[in-house]
Amino acid sequence: MQHRDIRGDLRDYGHRWPDEAAVVDGFLALLEDPQDPFVRERLAGHFTGSAWVVSLDGRRTLLTHHRKLDRWLQPGGHADGDVDLARVALREAEEETGVPGLHLDDGAIFDLDRHWIPERGAIPGHWHYDVRYVVRAGPDERFVVSEESHALAWRDVTAVADDPASDESMRRMAAKWLAG
């Protein structure tokens, strides 16, 4: 039953973003794989959930300077068997930022990104099929840097969209947010 929900959410995303049909098709194909795509042990690739964390007024986004990847990115992580990727995104945002009062904005998929994770120790390189949701902060924007990050910072969404040094997927999400 949960697969049907994510399948419908992916199809809805594809209707809203028709230029990303090939990306959606790849995510739908992963759902059909007989090996559980919601666990990190599926080394060919697996689902992850991430949060585009925005301030209450929607003008800023909270980014993490990811410790392992050494880049400024959105908070997120492995599903670890949880097929509710919106719940995964919210949980990861709460764990990685410590911001009180975070909540899912509307529960619709905001962005999809398939990206390569390089080999690290005994874990070979693999694909993350990242399903991203908008998570909104309340009036208290204080954060706590977790062990997964070098730092956290609130950044103006327009600045992220215009910064050529920003990760391409960060610029894409910022542009989507500004267009929304």
Side-chain angles (χ1 to χ4, degrees):
M1 179 155 91
Q2 293 286 353
H3 282 341
R4 219 174 344 206
D5 294 337
I6 186 77
R7 187 173 288 112
D9 290 347
L10 287 165
R11 287 187 180 130
D12 175 64
Y13 179 86
H15 291 303
R16 288 184 287 123
W17 300 101
D19 291 348
E20 296 183 42
V23 174
V24 172
D25 288 346
F27 279 66
L28 288 168
L30 182 60
L31 277 174
E32 302 302 325
D33 193 288
Q35 190 179 357
D36 188 352
F38 294 92
V39 296
R40 66 176 83 199
E41 291 78 17
R42 186 186 183 283
L43 293 177
H46 46 261
F47 285 113
T48 55
S50 290
W52 175 252
V53 179
V54 293
S55 58
L56 186 60
D57 65 8
R59 294 183 180 152
R60 290 168 295 118
T61 185
L62 184 59
L63 300 181
T64 174
H65 188 193
H66 197 279
R67 187 173 297 278
K68 290 179 184 174
L69 298 175
D70 198 28
R71 292 186 298 178
W72 285 96
L73 301 169
Q74 78 289 342
H78 290 98
D80 288 331
D82 190 344
V83 298
D84 184 340
L85 296 174
R87 181 172 51 218
V88 171
L90 180 59
R91 178 185 70 229
E92 291 292 330
E94 290 169 340
E95 290 174 1
E96 292 182 25
T97 71
V99 174
L102 292 176
H103 62 277
L104 283 169
D105 203 38
D106 66 7
I109 295 173
F110 176 64
D111 188 61
L112 296 174
D113 191 70
R114 178 179 174 256
H115 52 268
W116 182 252
I117 300 298
E119 176 181 346
R120 186 167 171 84
I123 302 170
H126 58 278
W127 291 102
H128 276 183
Y129 289 74
D130 199 29
V131 181
R132 297 162 172 189
Y133 299 85
V134 174
V135 171
R136 196 174 289 266
D140 186 347
E141 296 180 352
R142 291 174 298 159
F143 55 77
V144 177
V145 178
S146 78
E147 61 189 33
E148 296 186 37
S149 303
H150 291 299
L152 293 169
W154 284 103
R155 300 243 353 251
D156 181 84
V157 175
T158 302
V160 173
D162 294 341
D163 183 358
S166 286
D167 182 87
E168 183 274 328
S169 74
M170 296 296 96
R171 292 193 314 271
R172 182 182 64 240
M173 285 192 292
K176 282 180 178 178
W177 182 254
L178 293 168

